[in-house]
């Protein structure tokens, strides 16, 4: 995968932290407060880790901005719901990368010696329909502007990226449908998924057009749900009896660079490219590249990947961005069966957002939960045999994005 210009394997620091516990609340549209989902996931993660809540010395919450004031202070909100016991707290908002940045903050605390064991929690109660900006006039907010000036809802952006793939690489609506069929088959095996049934290509083609060329079954829903992790130092893990835990080896949260050669949501303008050479890597590819460099791994070391399939077409972009194939070859990789369960490099064995929907603060944490279960060999019928390393990737608003690498 030399098109990514990877650093030599082994370069850079290796600052592993252990994943002692992973837990989730099933995703759906339950109509309850997000705190309920987060505390259920937290208790599940603590039980999975085999430790009591009083042993946790720090809580990092991934924020939701839609659920009122408590959502902005998620660390304290979840600590209070679990029962005040003196742990330090932090709260992180980074749009769709909130969960990954919460994991990064927890890792930093552990590596700095501020806490031996940290609970990371994200949860959301999502609105009906697609996400939209909050009410009121905010002419300096690019997210508000793209709705008011362009009418560019999230599905409209997804459709523009799909059309771009069709124009540049010859992808077809049938290719996009294959992604949904693949992810629905995996999601049918996942007890935490919202949608747990298989889907045919004919069903995708028969679903309503939302933003041409994407149909209803090409686009992920909005969901309620929660996810949590218990992270610790390796020394704490050994004292706790976990001699070979899943380890987080890299957390990448880099920002874009100017000039922007590809418009990303919600940007509607770019810096001038007249006097500056563009970066050799688009933003999404830079996220994965930074993670590989930190981990001392390359795409050939991966056993699986969890990527941010807001739409079927966007999943194909991620194949290329995380280095599984060269630009324009994502659909070919899919057609070959390489990214299905049982394939060479399964992508979204959890079922992805196609099967879960978006619960924004929880989804990057949920991705790491799936890596954890896969690397432990405890993923049941969706298990990737012999999984040893995996990557997550997602992108959110305002230059937020993330990639996390976990190993066993």
């Amino acid at each position: 995968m030399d098109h990514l210009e990877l650093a030599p394997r082994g370069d850079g620091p290796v600052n592993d932290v252990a994943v002692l516990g992973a837990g989730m609340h099933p995703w759906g549209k339950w109509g309850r407060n997000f705190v309920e989902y987060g505390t259920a996931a937290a208790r599940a993660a603590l039980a999975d880790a085999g430790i009591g809540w009083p042993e946790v010395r720090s809580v990092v919450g991934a924020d939701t901005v839609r659920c009122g004031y408590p959502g902005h202070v998620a660390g304290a909100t979840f600590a209070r719901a679990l029962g005040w016991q003196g742990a330090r707290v932090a709260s992180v908002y980074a749009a769709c990368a909130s969960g990954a940045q919460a994991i990064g903050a927890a890792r930093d605390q552990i590596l700095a010696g501020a806490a031996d064991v940290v609970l990371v929690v994200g949860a959301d109660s999502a609105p009906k329909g697609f996400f939209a900006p909050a009410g009121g006039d905010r002419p300096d907010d690019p997210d508000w502007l793209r709705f008011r000036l362009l009418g560019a809802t999230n599905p409209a952006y997804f459709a523009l990226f799909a059309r771009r793939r069709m124009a540049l690489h010859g992808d077809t609506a049938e290719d996009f449908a294959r992604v949904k069929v693949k992810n629905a088959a995996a999601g049918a095996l996942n007890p935490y998924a919202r949608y747990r049934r298989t889907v045919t290509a004919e069903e995708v083609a028969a679903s309503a057009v939302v933003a041409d060329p994407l149909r209803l079954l090409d686009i992920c829903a909005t969901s309620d749900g929660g996810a949590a992790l218990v992270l610790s130092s390796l020394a704490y893990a050994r004292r706790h009896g976990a001699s070979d835990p899943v380890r987080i080896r890299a957390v990448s949260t880099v920002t874009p660079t100017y000039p922007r050669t590809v418009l990303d949501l919600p940007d509607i303008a770019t810096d001038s490219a007249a006097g500056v050479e563009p970066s050799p890597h688009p933003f999404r590819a830079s996220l994965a590249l930074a993670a590989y460099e930190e981990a001392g791994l390359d795409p050939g070391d991966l056993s699986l990947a969890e990527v941010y399939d807001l739409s079927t077409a966007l999943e194909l972009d991620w194949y290329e961005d995380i280095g599984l194939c060269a630009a324009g070859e994502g659909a070919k990789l899919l057609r070959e069966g390489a990214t299905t369960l049982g394939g060479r490099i399964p992508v979204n064995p959890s079922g992805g957002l196609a099967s879960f929907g978006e619960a924004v603060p929880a989804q990057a944490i949920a991705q790491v939960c799936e890596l954890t279960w896969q690397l432990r060999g405890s993923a049941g019928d969706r298990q990737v045999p012999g999984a040893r390393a995996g990557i997550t990737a997602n992108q959110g608003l305002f230059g937020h994005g993330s990639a996390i690498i976990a190993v066993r």
Side-chain angles (χ1 to χ4, degrees), residues 129-276:
F130 55 75
F131 293 126
D137 291 343
R138 295 187 308 282
D140 57 348
D141 177 353
D143 198 35
W144 182 88
L145 287 170
R146 55 112 173 180
F147 277 89
R148 292 298 183 91
L149 296 185
L150 301 181
T153 64
N154 289 6
Y157 266 92
F158 308 156
L160 290 171
F161 278 109
R163 280 291 175 199
R164 185 174 184 271
R165 288 203 65 83
M166 294 171 116
L168 291 179
H169 308 312
D171 291 10
T172 66
E174 290 74 22
D175 291 320
F176 303 153
R178 287 187 182 97
V179 176
K180 175 65 176 183
V181 170
K182 172 187 73 73
N183 288 347
L189 304 174
N190 193 330
Y192 296 105
R194 176 178 177 182
Y195 301 105
R196 297 191 59 200
R197 72 173 186 89
T198 58
V199 170
T200 66
E202 291 74 21
E203 287 176 299
V204 178
S207 63
V209 173
V210 175
D212 188 66
L214 299 178
R215 296 178 175 271
L216 184 64
L217 293 183
D218 283 304
I219 296 171
C220 76
T222 61
S223 288
D224 297 358
L229 295 165
V230 176
L231 307 181
S232 79
S233 66
L234 295 181
Y236 180 96
R238 285 191 293 270
R239 293 196 304 270
H240 191 67
S243 59
D244 184 27
V246 172
R247 305 176 184 208
I248 291 176
R249 180 149 291 178
V251 179
S252 164
T253 57
V254 298
T255 54
T257 59
Y258 282 126
R260 304 292 299 278
T261 56
V262 176
L263 290 178
D264 279 324
L265 182 155
D267 291 346
I268 56 176
T270 66
D271 192 64
S272 171
V276 183

Side-chain angles (χ1 to χ4, degrees), residues 332-351:
K332 178 175 180 288
L333 196 69
L334 175 71
R335 294 177 202 136
E336 294 170 349
T339 60
T340 63
L341 283 173
R344 174 175 59 82
I345 176 68
V347 177
N348 285 337
S350 69

Side-chain angles (χ1 to χ4, degrees), residues 334-401:
L334 175 71
R335 294 177 202 136
E336 294 170 349
T339 60
T340 63
L341 283 173
R344 174 175 59 82
I345 176 68
V347 177
N348 285 337
S350 69
L353 295 181
S355 300
F356 277 76
E358 280 196 275
V360 171
Q363 52 211 27
I365 301 171
Q367 288 179 322
V368 179
C369 287
E370 180 66 17
L371 292 193
T372 299
W373 295 323
Q374 290 285 351
L375 296 176
R376 287 177 179 173
S378 61
D381 291 338
R382 66 184 191 280
Q383 180 63 49
V384 176
R388 301 296 295 175
I391 192 171
T392 72
N394 77 74
Q395 180 184 3
L397 298 177
F398 317 118
H400 287 125

